[in-house]
Amino acid sequence: MSATVAIIGRPNVGKSTLFNRLVGKRLALVDDTPGVTRDRREGEGRIAHLEFSVIDTAGLEDADVGSLEGRMRAQTEEAMRLADVTLFVIDARAGITPLDEHFADVVRKTDVPVILVANKSEGRASDAGYYESFGLGLGEPVPISAEHGQGIYDLGDALRPFVEEAELEDSALENSSEEEDVEYEAGSVDKPLRIAVVGRPNAGKSTLINHILGEERLLTGPEAGITRDSISVDLVWREKYLKLFDTAGMRRKARVNEKLEKLSVSDGIRAIKFAELVVVVLDATIPFEKQDLQIIELVAREGRAVVIALNKWDLVEDRDTAWRELREEATRLLNQIKGVTLVPISGLNGFGLDKLLQEIFDAHKIWNMRISTSRLNRWIDGVIAHHPPPAVAGKRIRIRYATQVKSRPPHFVLFASRPDKLPDSYLSYLSNSLRETFKMPGTPIRVSTRKGENPYARKKKR
């Protein structure tokens, strides 16, 4: 376990830019608007051969505990509590502000070591702010430019003693562990299942993940659109490893005007593409609105396994009637993922969460399904006998054989005499037959066609 480094400071001093620089990827959203980051984001940082965990935090603001800004500050304070060392970042070009001074006082009273970082120190315009920062009483500042990469190795030199001390402590703990402790062999830990949790704003995505984790890891509240970045958290459930991605709520495109919200939605779409399975969270009191259907269509188009979580089920009054109606609506509206699993849940009180997690693994198993060519050809023979392809210009289209070319999602290829003449309606019929015959409910299925001879026919002639 490596050292943990928390990046803190007032809004818009470049904390997320520094975080991206340290992890070597554009994981955190960056914009000129103050307060872009709200949840704390974790990553693996590196400077040369120095490796450590790094946490990006929301900008420190002096606000009421119950307000959104106050809850954001609580997340930042939790990150400081978990850290081995804190990077207090100031904007050298803007100079020291009263907010910098206020939170420097707060940081000095903590037990966590602090390194003062003077960001945006490129050029002479930053000199005054750099020298002014000595007055914060946090030691000599490390001048850097997170955007251009200047001074990062100097920052590494400042971090090295704390990282090495944390490594020594970890080594001492390992050496003092009893023989009865559980040991894990290299490679025994499974690769985590990547799950994106998506939905409209205020559907309860962050509340759901917090209840699964058993802690207030993600920022929640009555305000719509609190989450902006896609935040990943790790979870072990019944000895199975998961990585959950909380995403920003997705509104209709016509309503998304602000640049920051567009970035948030784009970040959510990237999370869907990176995930193996997507949990689409619907508000059970107002389900299957147009935007819900567009999100589900996007997930199906990307070929991801899908489970639909009907959140806020505790607010539904006539649950039996509501359940029947929702099943009928899903069958009618979700033709591209027929049979998709619906799970009634309450992210607030934890109802149905074990059922949801079990359905996630069941859906993932179907998404990975492979069917042998011999079984597929027995199926295609039966399908053709029952409902042959339509004739085109008086000539019958012959489907010679079928095979599965990939899984994740299942993709099947039909070799036919005139594949370009097969109508979409017949291909849709074949997809539904595949889904029903081989028990593949709710997963996107790809069926494509090619022109070719039956290779088994040549073997028979010999």
Side-chain angles (χ1 to χ4, degrees):
M1 186 175 173
S2 59
T4 300
V5 179
I7 305 174
I8 68 167
R10 64 177 175 83
N12 219 32
V13 294
K15 298 183 297 298
S16 293
T17 304
L18 175 57
F19 174 84
N20 287 341
R21 174 68 63 181
L22 294 176
V23 299
K25 302 175 185 175
R26 291 183 62 85
L27 292 182
L29 291 185
V30 176
D31 191 71
D32 292 335
T33 309
V36 172
T37 303
R38 287 177 170 175
D39 284 292
R40 65 182 194 265
R41 175 190 282 277
E42 300 174 11
E44 296 304 315
R46 176 194 288 263
I47 301 176
H49 299 297
L50 203 65
E51 297 181 353
F52 47 87
S53 298
V54 58
I55 306 175
D56 184 24
T57 66
L60 286 164
E61 296 189 60
D62 193 10
D64 182 71
V65 175
S67 66
L68 175 59
E69 290 77 12
R71 299 197 302 276
M72 289 161 60
R73 177 178 169 179
Q75 288 281 330
T76 299
E77 289 171 348
E78 176 65 13
M80 291 169 62
R81 187 186 67 79
L82 296 171
D84 295 296
V85 59
T86 296
L87 302 181
F88 189 96
V89 183
I90 59 110
D91 181 344
R93 286 201 304 242
I96 301 303
T97 68
L99 204 56
D100 289 321
E101 293 173 345
H102 173 74
F103 286 111
D105 288 337
V106 173
V107 169
R108 277 199 300 269
K109 294 172 184 176
T110 67
D111 296 328
V112 181
V114 181
I115 297 173
L116 180 60
V117 179
N119 192 28
K120 307 182 185 180
S121 288
E122 66 276 19
R124 293 183 178 178
S126 63
D127 289 351
Y130 170 76
Y131 290 113
E132 192 179 350
S133 66
F134 280 86
L136 293 175
L138 297 176
E140 183 179 350
V142 180
I144 69 163
S145 170
E147 185 175 358
H148 300 102
Q150 297 174 12
I152 296 299
Y153 289 108
D154 293 332
L155 179 60
D157 290 338
L159 280 171
R160 181 169 284 106
F162 303 103
V163 174
E164 290 176 349
E165 182 181 350
E167 290 173 349
L168 284 172
E169 289 178 1
D170 289 338
S171 178
L173 285 172
E174 288 174 6
N175 292 333
S176 64
S177 61
E178 297 180 2
E179 292 182 2
E180 294 80 39
D181 287 348
V182 177
E183 293 184 1
Y184 295 93
E185 296 179 6
S188 65
V189 177
D190 295 333
K191 186 177 179 182
L193 169 59
R194 300 188 301 274
I195 303 167
V197 181
V198 304
R200 287 185 286 116
N202 226 24
K205 300 179 292 297
S206 299
T207 303
L208 166 63
I209 294 176
N210 280 344
H211 208 111
I212 291 174
L213 295 173
E215 63 173 297
E216 291 297 312
R217 170 63 181 81
L218 301 168
L219 195 63
T220 61
E223 305 91 345
I226 289 178
T227 303
R228 285 177 171 170
D229 287 90
S230 294
I231 305 296
S232 68
V233 292
D234 294 316
L235 170 70
V236 179
W237 181 76
R238 295 183 182 176
E239 300 182 352
K240 296 174 181 176
Y241 294 82
L242 301 87
K243 184 178 283 288
L244 301 174
F245 292 84
D246 186 26
T247 64
M250 297 180 180
R251 295 196 299 162
R252 281 190 296 164
K253 192 174 181 180
R255 293 185 179 180
V256 179
N257 297 315
E258 295 182 8
K259 175 188 173 187
L260 182 55
E261 188 173 356
K262 290 178 181 178
L263 289 172
S264 297
V265 172
S266 297
D267 204 34
I269 293 172
R270 278 196 298 273
I272 291 172
K273 292 179 177 180
F274 183 72
E276 298 168 82
L277 183 139
V278 177
V279 175
V280 182
V281 181
L282 307 188
D283 185 335
T285 62
I286 44 171
F288 294 119
E289 292 204 338
K290 184 177 180 181
Q291 181 62 6
D292 293 325
L293 299 177
Q294 289 179 340
I295 292 171
I296 293 168
E297 183 182 354
L298 167 64
V299 174
R301 196 165 60 242
E302 290 296 332
R304 299 298 175 257
V306 187
V307 172
I308 295 177
L310 298 168
N311 196 22
K312 306 184 183 180
W313 193 248
D314 50 314
L315 302 180
V316 176
E317 294 182 0
D318 188 353
R319 296 180 184 177
D320 290 339
T321 302
W323 178 247
R324 285 195 302 272
E325 291 175 351
L326 287 168
R327 286 300 319 167
E328 290 171 4
E329 280 195 80
T331 302
R332 179 173 58 87
L333 297 170
L334 307 179
N335 188 58
Q336 69 275 47
I337 47 172
K338 278 190 175 180
V340 65
T341 301
L342 303 182
V343 186
I345 66 163
S346 170
L348 192 62
N349 62 34
F351 168 76
L353 296 193
D354 274 347
K355 170 73 171 172
L356 175 64
L357 289 165
Q358 185 57 57
E359 293 293 352
I360 283 170
F361 281 98
D362 291 346
H364 184 253
K365 185 177 179 180
I366 294 171
W367 189 64
N368 283 276
M369 181 181 288
R370 276 200 169 273
I371 303 168
S372 68
T373 299
S374 59
R375 290 182 67 199
L376 284 171
N377 283 307
R378 285 196 297 271
W379 161 78
I380 200 68
D381 288 343
V383 167
I384 293 171
H386 177 70
H387 181 22
V392 178
K395 295 184 69 176
R396 182 72 64 186
I397 300 172
R398 295 182 60 191
I399 298 179
R400 304 185 187 282
Y401 75 107
T403 188
Q404 183 176 356
V405 292
K406 67 183 289 292
S407 58
R408 304 165 64 92
H411 184 177
F412 305 92
V413 174
L414 305 175
F415 288 82
S417 57
R418 290 188 293 165
D420 56 316
K421 300 298 183 182
L422 273 172
D424 291 341
S425 58
Y426 192 75
L427 291 176
S428 179
Y429 161 72
L430 293 177
S431 295
N432 291 333
S433 177
L434 272 168
R435 193 187 301 278
E436 184 177 343
T437 303
F438 297 105
K439 304 295 187 292
M440 294 186 289
T443 196
I445 291 177
R446 305 283 190 257
V447 177
S448 54
T449 58
R450 293 181 192 170
K451 185 176 178 63
E453 297 293 329
N454 186 344
Y456 300 103
R458 286 196 293 270
K459 290 181 180 178
K460 289 177 183 177
K461 288 178 183 178
R462 293 174 185 173

